[in-house]
Amino acid sequence: MTEWLKPNDEVFVYQELLQNLDLSKFYENYRNDGEGGKFIDPVHLLGVIFYCYSNGIYSSRKIEEACIVHVRCRYLAGNMPIDHSTIARFRQKNLDGIKDLFTQFLVILYEAKMIDPRLLAADGTKIKANAALSKNKTYNRLEQMAREFVEKGQAADDAEKQSGVRETLRESATRKEIEERIKKARSIVEERHRAEVKQFEEKVHQREEEEKEAGKAKRGRKPKQPPSAPNPSDKANITDPDSRIMKSRTGYLQGYNAQSISTRDGFVLGCSVTNEENDMHQLIPVLELIHDLAARFEVTPDEICLLADAGYFSYENMMAEYSSGIDLRLSPWREQKMKDISKDCMYPHELQRICWEHSAWVPCIAGSVAAWAEEHLKEKGEWMTKEAVAQQIMGAKLVTEAGKKLYGMRKYMIESIYGIIKENRKFRSFLTRGLDGVNCEWTLVNMVHNIKLGIKKGIGSFLTHRRSGDARAIAGF
């Protein structure tokens, strides 16, 4: 097949990359006693999958076809036809292995000095699940369906006893799979209700503590107590129970919230998928992931700056900056309002300046701070809430010319990646189901993005020198 390819074809980079990766996890799933079906080397399967994903081919049947009609795929497949069921099973059985490859390739990129983890951007995007909106059923309907399937199973058993004709294994497996999905959908609705009850109890406890500390009743509405049982109209999807109804720019979809962390050069350093529509609760997992990456890349957290939009901002998330040590630039307002921020925002360094000027006398420091707080921490004669103060502090970071310029880099760092994945490579819907499956699929999509960008930046020659052990050539790359 090499006669049909140019000497510098990118397909050779894919092959070289697979020689640089540790694929031992993939070989553990195969028998070594000579029994079973035809063995297809994981090198061929991964090569074909990487190449097809980088060119917008995701369906296992389309990949099977590509192994016949595409010269590059035939080369990576060792000129062997690969069945679509083999490809589908391989992806499904190697979830952990694919995640491990993502990390391995990040290490290679770091060795090649292609990624700088000191400036990062995080964002989320909604991606359609492999399920339809019409398959969302209410809690009452789920209970009814569960009873119907129990009755249907009992009827099938009775029919077998009378006629002696057993249902096929496929029919039995399909019925049991649907039963499990319905059961899981019901449990998800019940779990949401338990979470609501727990959240209500926490709010009540917090309110009581604040009233006890203040010595008087707190103003405002009290938290509304949720019902004792799940709402009969609450819904869950019976095709993919883990997926949720989410609002996107084009309307509502049945899907997931996919998260990614990118570098200034457009490489993805980390990714995950959640079924929470809001990004606000995703910042803490992102910071934990960045801490792990910092340890791997020998960078201290205080050297890292993370950019994120208003969807991640909250008082609790801003407080995470002090515990994590990472410099956070989270916009307190949406992009349209950012232009209207005045320079009257509260500057944290004002407090530091006051303290330095009066460092000889502590009471003077306290008086100066109190006077400054009296001037800056009141709105319409009332003290600002802690959330409002947090907004002003974060706004102070972004209002300066340097702050605006730094935060302005967020758009092209992360949003351009989603544009490439969704528009250029046409990845708009997951093929797998369940959180574990879509997490693996999203990791694979982001890894392929890194591979494609690495090829563009010349990773091929580095891989060749790395495998040959040419230290001087690697150092001068």
Side-chain angles (χ1 to χ4, degrees):
M1 301 306 299
T2 53
E3 296 177 2
W4 292 78
L5 300 169
K6 294 180 181 179
N8 61 343
D9 197 290
E10 68 174 18
V11 75
F12 298 118
V13 181
Y14 284 95
Q15 187 183 47
E16 189 65 45
L17 170 63
L18 290 165
Q19 300 299 321
N20 277 266
L21 296 174
D22 179 11
L23 306 180
S24 56
K25 282 190 176 181
F26 294 88
Y27 290 97
E28 292 173 358
N29 295 327
Y30 292 91
R31 299 176 62 163
N32 57 8
D33 57 2
E35 299 292 331
K38 181 181 179 181
F39 169 75
I40 298 179
D41 199 313
V43 170
H44 297 318
L45 285 162
L46 287 169
V48 168
I49 290 172
F50 286 167
Y51 177 78
C52 287
Y53 268 61
S54 68
N55 288 275
I57 304 172
Y58 306 105
S59 165
S60 57
R61 292 182 184 274
K62 293 289 185 183
I63 295 174
E64 176 187 2
E65 182 184 354
C67 291
I68 299 172
V69 299
H70 289 191
V71 175
R72 288 172 174 168
C73 282
R74 290 188 67 164
Y75 174 80
L76 290 169
N79 207 21
M80 295 185 299
I82 303 178
D83 185 73
H84 66 272
S85 58
T86 302
I87 296 166
R89 283 196 299 267
F90 180 81
R91 284 189 299 200
Q92 188 176 5
K93 290 180 179 179
N94 292 282
L95 302 180
D96 294 335
I98 290 173
K99 291 179 181 179
D100 182 57
L101 292 185
F102 179 85
T103 306
Q104 286 189 49
F105 188 59
L106 282 183
V107 173
I108 292 174
L109 291 172
Y110 185 72
E111 289 177 4
K113 299 178 181 178
M114 286 188 175
I115 56 176
D116 183 356
R118 289 175 295 181
L119 180 60
L120 305 174
D123 202 359
T125 184
K126 307 297 190 299
I127 296 183
K128 190 179 180 300
N130 188 4
L133 275 169
S134 60
K135 292 298 181 181
N136 283 286
K137 306 297 179 183
T138 63
Y139 186 67
N140 276 353
R141 177 58 182 150
L142 289 170
E143 286 187 320
Q144 182 183 350
M145 292 177 71
R147 288 195 298 269
E148 289 175 356
F149 268 90
V150 171
E151 293 170 0
K152 188 181 290 186
Q154 186 63 45
D157 292 341
D158 294 341
E160 285 180 11
K161 292 177 182 178
Q162 293 176 4
S163 63
V165 179
R166 298 176 63 85
E167 64 178 348
T168 64
L169 291 174
R170 184 168 184 174
E171 290 173 341
S172 177
T174 301
R175 180 167 54 81
K176 289 178 180 178
E177 183 183 353
I178 296 174
E179 283 184 46
E180 286 298 319
R181 287 182 188 172
I182 293 172
K183 185 178 178 182
K184 186 173 182 180
R186 287 182 63 203
S187 67
I188 285 176
V189 175
E190 292 165 357
E191 188 177 338
R192 285 183 209 155
H193 176 258
R194 287 193 293 269
E196 287 178 13
V197 172
K198 184 179 179 181
Q199 187 177 15
F200 166 76
E201 292 172 350
E202 289 175 352
K203 286 183 178 179
V204 169
H205 178 70
Q206 183 181 357
R207 186 183 180 91
E208 290 173 351
E209 289 293 324
E210 290 175 356
E211 288 177 346
K212 186 178 178 181
E213 185 178 344
K216 61 180 181 178
K218 190 175 181 181
R219 298 173 62 184
R221 292 182 181 179
K222 293 182 179 180
K224 186 177 179 181
Q225 185 172 3
S228 57
N231 190 332
S233 61
D234 282 351
K235 294 182 177 181
N237 195 280
I238 60 172
T239 304
D240 185 357
D242 284 340
S243 63
R244 296 282 293 273
I245 299 174
M246 297 193 176
K247 188 176 181 180
S248 68
R249 293 180 180 179
T250 57
Y252 288 94
L253 56 82
Q254 187 71 30
Y256 290 94
N257 184 358
Q259 303 278 318
S260 292
I261 308 168
S262 70
T263 67
R264 181 185 299 190
D265 296 318
F267 288 103
V268 177
L269 250 65
C271 57
S272 63
V273 180
T274 178
N275 54 13
E276 291 187 29
E277 186 175 3
N278 201 310
D279 290 335
M280 190 180 296
H281 298 127
Q282 308 313 313
L283 184 69
I284 303 301
V286 165
L287 294 178
E288 291 173 355
L289 178 58
I290 292 174
H291 267 273
D292 293 340
L293 292 170
R296 188 180 295 273
F297 297 144
E298 299 178 350
V299 177
T300 57
D302 57 1
E303 295 180 77
I304 299 173
C305 176
L306 177 66
L307 312 175
D309 63 13
Y312 292 88
F313 183 84
S314 70
Y315 172 77
E316 290 76 14
N317 285 348
M318 188 174 164
M319 291 300 101
E321 178 177 24
Y322 301 101
S323 58
S324 67
I326 297 170
D327 181 15
L328 297 181
R329 303 296 172 105
L330 313 176
S331 171
W333 305 280
R334 296 197 176 276
E335 300 289 338
Q336 296 84 352
K337 193 176 178 182
M338 285 289 291
K339 299 175 184 177
D340 302 327
I341 299 175
S342 69
K343 293 193 177 182
D344 294 331
C345 283
M346 184 181 73
Y347 285 85
H349 63 259
E350 285 294 314
L351 282 175
Q352 185 181 13
R353 181 183 63 78
I354 292 169
C355 292
W356 276 111
E357 287 180 1
H358 303 279
S359 58
W361 194 31
V362 175
C364 184
I365 296 174
S368 299
V369 170
W372 183 91
E374 181 73 21
E375 180 183 354
H376 290 82
L377 298 185
K378 279 194 172 184
E379 286 183 338
K380 299 179 181 179
E382 293 186 0
W383 290 100
M384 296 168 62
T385 63
K386 60 183 182 182
E387 288 79 10
V389 173
Q391 281 186 334
Q392 295 298 316
I393 292 174
M394 187 58 72
K397 285 187 174 184
L398 305 178
V399 75
T400 62
E401 291 301 319
K404 288 180 179 178
K405 185 176 180 181
L406 181 63
Y407 186 76
M409 299 170 68
R410 183 196 68 83
K411 281 188 176 181
Y412 78 78
M413 283 175 62
I414 184 66
E415 293 187 11
S416 61
I417 293 175
Y418 292 147
I420 292 169
I421 291 174
K422 286 186 167 183
E423 299 301 324
N424 295 7
R425 301 199 181 108
K426 310 299 181 186
F427 185 82
R428 300 191 183 97
S429 176
F430 289 113
L431 295 175
T432 53
R433 292 171 181 156
L435 270 173
D436 289 338
V438 296
N439 264 289
C440 169
E441 193 171 357
W442 185 238
T443 301
L444 181 57
V445 168
N446 281 274
M447 180 182 179
V448 167
H449 169 81
N450 286 347
I451 294 172
K452 197 75 172 178
L453 185 58
I455 292 173
K456 185 178 179 180
K457 292 181 178 290
I459 193 69
S461 57
F462 175 82
L463 291 171
T464 303
H465 295 314
R466 184 177 186 270
R467 190 163 65 91
S468 63
D470 189 347
R472 285 181 296 179
I474 293 174
F477 176 76

